[in-house]
Amino acid sequence: MMSEMRSRSVLNRATYTGDFEVGSRMRVQVQLFTRCREQLLPSLKKESTLGTDTKAVITDRVYKNKFSDYANGDANANANVNVNVNANANADSNDNKGLPEDERIPSYLYGKQRIPFTQEDKNRLDYASGEKHFQLLAFTDKKLIPRSHFMGPVMVCVAQAGNQGSAMTLSTFIHGCFEKNRVAIARLVSRKNAAPKLVVLEPRIKASGECFVVNELPFYEDIRNYPFASFAFNKKFQPTAQQIEAAKNLVNSLNLMEEDDNEGEKELLRPQEMFNPILQRFYENLQCRALDPNAPIQPLSPTIIKYLEPPEEVFRKAEPALKEFAEKFPVTVIRCVISCATFSKKEAKKERKHWSELNDEINDLLQGLSLKKEEVKVKEEIDEDMNIHFNQMLEINAITKIGTKSPIHDFDQLLKKRSSPDHFQK
């Protein structure tokens, strides 16, 4: 029974029940229900103790005072010094004793420093959103809210059951927004002192009923604006009219809407008919293990394989458009042969660095070294876009010995190299 393709039955409970505040004088009794949400696998961290002699694992952690200056409140004393504590050598030291729970202070990394935060600091930083509420902020044009900004699960807003006045008032707002092609922006706090959410209410009118579809909107900190170069600056990157027409034909040929004699147009991949292959695969093997604990992992069923592969009928109809697209956009394989003597795999891995790591290294070098005018050389090599590369503008000498200006930084840089056994003698 569990191996059959079916959806999970979920008890539909309201995530919010209360007033929808429209201004200071109007309150509409509404309810919010979850309409669409990602279904995850059940937790595999729980184990059954029936029929097995198992004992609970007790994790005993011992917190030791690694940095004594932090306990005294001096957080900047060891900010730029890396100290390795040897537990065997300092077993009798006062700084290596276990700390009681009331003396422990959590800390957070800010760059390379650890900033301690007490419980009082957390209480002061916590934002008190107040009692639960659902407030209307404004109405705006539907075109100004892109679908790419929708976040989190989808909810529906309906009037409270049995309240005719609230149902009539909410229906008026739904029809007004639908006719004007506008949406409502609201602030939602589902429970007391919960994190406030900025939501958009989009009207939905069907024969079965009418409601507001609620989607969460991002704040400014949640939006990621990535700058991408335009193809217009170089003519060789601009497609021709034939290439644009071939791309349009390919998109139109892979349309999922198909004609049906009874329903007119029918969607090929409907969410109501598509099951999650991961969940179905999991419950299929769970049924076998329930009947036989030693049963092996079952092979993939044809139904699950069908979900993981593109539909054959659609690509069979789009075969002429695919051939035309391949002819208009020829692809050639470029073979790049690199000599192992000049560039090994280990060196290639070392060259792959995240920008944040590279930025930290540059900042460390700039802080620890005094750059002289004769050490900065500006090269005349300029690329096609008339931009001078950063590595062509700065040329910083490597650290070979421990100086007097920043000996701690020089010592750390020499240890990071690990290229010569004579660094400790220097």
Side-chain angles (χ1 to χ4, degrees):
M1 179 181 65
M2 297 182 67
S3 61
E4 298 178 358
M5 297 296 173
R6 63 184 182 89
S7 60
R8 178 187 175 189
S9 300
V10 180
L11 182 61
N12 198 2
R13 295 181 178 178
T15 58
Y16 173 83
T17 302
D19 297 337
F20 179 43
E21 302 177 12
V22 183
S24 58
R25 297 183 179 181
M26 183 180 295
R27 297 176 181 269
V28 184
Q29 298 289 331
V30 297
Q31 288 180 318
L32 297 180
F33 294 91
T34 302
R35 180 66 179 87
C36 181
R37 185 178 182 180
E38 182 184 3
Q39 183 64 37
L40 303 176
L41 282 172
S43 176
L44 302 179
K45 295 182 180 180
K46 299 179 181 179
E47 296 182 0
S48 176
T49 57
L50 299 178
T52 58
D53 297 334
T54 59
K55 295 182 180 180
V57 178
I58 300 176
T59 304
D60 189 9
R61 296 192 179 114
V62 177
Y63 293 86
K64 298 181 179 181
N65 191 0
K66 188 173 182 180
F67 302 105
S68 60
D69 292 333
Y70 281 128
N72 298 330
D74 188 3
N76 296 324
N78 293 325
N80 296 322
V81 182
N82 297 325
V83 180
N84 295 325
V85 178
N86 190 346
N88 296 326
N90 300 330
D92 299 333
S93 177
N94 295 328
D95 294 340
N96 204 25
K97 293 181 179 179
L99 294 177
E101 186 175 0
D102 55 349
E103 296 184 7
R104 302 172 193 167
I105 299 177
S107 62
Y108 300 91
L109 280 174
Y110 184 77
K112 294 185 178 181
Q113 298 182 5
R114 282 197 167 271
I115 309 301
F117 264 92
T118 61
Q119 188 63 32
E120 297 179 357
D121 297 334
K122 290 184 178 180
N123 296 336
R124 294 177 182 176
L125 289 175
D126 286 342
Y127 175 74
S129 57
E131 299 293 335
K132 68 174 185 177
H133 56 271
F134 189 22
Q135 297 177 350
L136 176 66
L137 300 180
F139 292 98
T140 185
D141 194 352
K142 185 179 179 180
K143 297 180 181 179
L144 300 179
I145 308 297
R147 292 183 59 88
S148 58
H149 286 180
F150 291 172
M151 300 172 56
V154 183
M155 298 179 291
V156 292
C157 177
V158 296
Q160 197 170 6
N163 194 331
Q164 297 182 358
S166 298
M168 185 178 299
T169 306
L170 189 65
S171 177
T172 305
F173 281 112
I174 293 174
H175 282 270
C177 292
F178 185 81
E179 294 174 2
K180 298 292 184 179
N181 198 20
R182 300 179 73 85
V183 294
I185 308 296
R187 167 190 167 102
L188 174 62
V189 176
S190 57
R191 60 182 183 276
K192 183 178 179 180
N193 290 333
K197 297 180 181 179
L198 189 66
V199 296
V200 55
L201 285 73
E202 183 180 355
R204 182 69 58 86
I205 299 176
K206 289 187 176 181
S208 57
E210 53 191 28
C211 64
F212 272 122
V213 179
V214 183
N215 285 280
E216 183 181 355
L217 293 178
F219 292 99
Y220 181 77
E221 294 82 2
D222 302 328
I223 300 176
R224 301 290 185 266
N225 294 321
Y226 297 107
F228 295 102
S230 176
F231 294 124
F233 72 93
N234 198 333
K235 292 184 178 180
K236 67 179 181 180
F237 295 147
Q238 296 181 3
T240 61
Q242 294 79 7
Q243 291 177 337
I244 295 176
E245 188 65 23
K248 290 182 179 180
N249 295 335
L250 179 61
V251 173
N252 294 331
S253 61
L254 293 176
N255 190 7
L256 294 178
M257 301 299 295
E258 59 180 4
E259 296 183 358
D260 192 0
D261 298 336
N262 299 328
E263 300 181 3
E265 288 188 353
K266 181 181 178 182
E267 187 178 358
L268 184 61
L269 300 177
R270 299 183 61 189
Q272 293 83 355
E273 300 175 357
M274 299 294 297
F275 295 91
N276 191 336
I278 298 177
L279 295 175
Q280 300 299 329
R281 169 78 167 156
F282 171 76
Y283 285 112
E284 180 183 3
N285 287 272
L286 184 63
Q287 180 194 17
C288 296
R289 288 291 175 90
L291 300 176
D292 185 10
N294 299 324
I297 299 298
Q298 301 298 314
L300 282 174
S301 64
T303 308
I304 296 179
I305 296 177
K306 183 180 178 181
Y307 288 158
L308 300 177
E309 294 180 352
E312 297 181 359
E313 299 178 1
V314 176
F315 278 84
R316 190 183 303 110
K317 296 179 181 179
E319 188 173 355
L322 288 170
K323 291 182 179 179
E324 182 185 4
F325 188 82
E327 293 175 358
K328 299 297 181 181
F329 295 90
V331 179
T332 57
V333 179
I334 300 176
R335 299 184 180 276
C336 183
V337 181
I338 301 177
S339 177
C340 296
T342 58
F343 198 76
S344 61
K345 293 183 178 180
K346 293 183 178 180
E347 293 178 352
K349 291 182 179 180
K350 291 181 180 178
E351 292 294 331
R352 300 172 186 171
K353 292 185 179 180
H354 195 267
W355 170 250
S356 60
E357 299 178 1
L358 182 61
N359 192 20
D360 293 340
E361 292 181 2
I362 294 175
N363 291 336
D364 293 340
L365 291 175
L366 293 178
Q367 292 176 3
L369 295 175
S370 58
L371 298 178
K372 300 180 181 179
K373 294 183 179 181
E374 57 269 15
E375 295 177 355
V376 180
K377 299 179 181 178
V378 180
K379 297 184 179 180
E380 298 180 356
E381 298 178 1
I382 303 176
D383 58 4
E384 297 178 357
D385 298 333
M386 301 300 293
N387 295 326
I388 301 176
H389 294 286
F390 183 76
N391 56 0
Q392 296 176 356
M393 297 175 60
L394 293 179
E395 185 175 331
I396 303 173
N397 294 333
I399 300 175
T400 58
K401 63 180 181 179
I402 300 176
T404 57
K405 185 175 181 180
S406 57
I408 298 177
H409 179 272
D410 297 343
F411 181 74
D412 292 339
Q413 294 299 323
L414 290 175
L415 287 181
K416 289 180 181 178
K417 289 185 178 181
R418 302 177 182 177
S419 58
S420 174
D422 301 333
H423 286 323
F424 293 97
Q425 299 178 4
K426 295 179 182 179

